[in-house]
Amino acid sequence: KKAGEVVVLDSDEYETMRVLCQRMVIVTAMSRRHMQVIADHVVEHFKLKGLLLEREDDDGRIISAPPGIEGAGSDMWVVVDLGDIITHVFSQKGREYYNLEGHWRDKEEARKAGLDHEEYLIREGRRDDTCDP
């Protein structure tokens, strides 16, 4: 179950993340199967601790339930939402493609500069301002 390249982003350092979670755990898996094993392990650990999340069911009622896994079967990215902690399990290709660490770093730099994310990317020369997004 050993994940590689484990990075934890904390909303104390990345204030723009606070709307989503307190912490974001980003890891790299060796294969699609390994991605699923890691995600399943995170959920199982959460269940063994007796922790449940409050969610809204299809009828709008609040229920307690274990965390779910999004992207199961994906070749690049699986997400486990634990409420205050979001765990992203990537393949190497997915990790490079989505570059979440860079995304949140850019969002924070934009916030510090008083710019929205797109304006910041244009100013840094990483977005073309002549095209519609």
Side-chain angles (χ1 to χ4, degrees):
K1 298 178 189 99
K2 293 183 180 181
E5 301 177 67
V6 178
V7 172
V8 178
L9 303 180
D10 192 308
S11 64
D12 288 341
E13 186 177 344
Y14 296 89
E15 289 182 26
T16 52
M17 243 176 41
R18 288 184 184 159
V19 297
L20 293 176
C21 60
Q22 290 296 312
R23 288 184 184 79
M24 193 172 288
V25 180
I26 303 168
V27 303
T28 303
M30 302 300 288
S31 66
R32 177 169 40 176
R33 174 78 184 122
H34 190 213
M35 285 172 32
Q36 192 62 47
V37 167
I38 293 169
D40 288 342
H41 180 73
V42 170
V43 170
E44 202 52 42
H45 183 75
F46 200 81
K47 287 181 189 176
L48 288 172
K49 294 281 187 184
L51 302 171
L52 298 173
L53 299 174
E54 288 192 349
R55 298 184 186 265
E56 194 172 304
D57 70 8
D58 293 338
D59 297 323
R61 294 177 298 207
I62 301 297
I63 59 169
S64 293
I69 297 173
E70 296 293 328
S74 168
D75 289 338
M76 294 189 14
W77 188 9
V78 176
V79 178
V80 182
D81 186 348
L82 304 169
D84 286 342
I85 301 170
I86 298 175
T87 302
H88 298 273
V89 184
F90 286 104
S91 65
Q92 187 63 49
K93 182 179 176 182
R95 181 98 178 236
E96 292 167 7
Y97 179 80
Y98 289 106
N99 187 20
L100 282 187
E101 296 100 312
H103 170 78
W104 287 107
R105 189 173 36 253
D106 287 348
K107 297 263 302 176
E108 190 59 23
E109 290 301 317
R111 182 193 68 78
K112 289 176 181 176
L115 301 169
D116 73 24
H117 191 221
E118 286 298 314
E119 290 172 328
Y120 175 78
L121 293 175
I122 290 168
R123 186 184 84 180
E124 294 296 306
R126 291 186 275 147
R127 262 308 184 266
D128 184 353
D129 63 352
T130 61
C131 301
D132 290 331

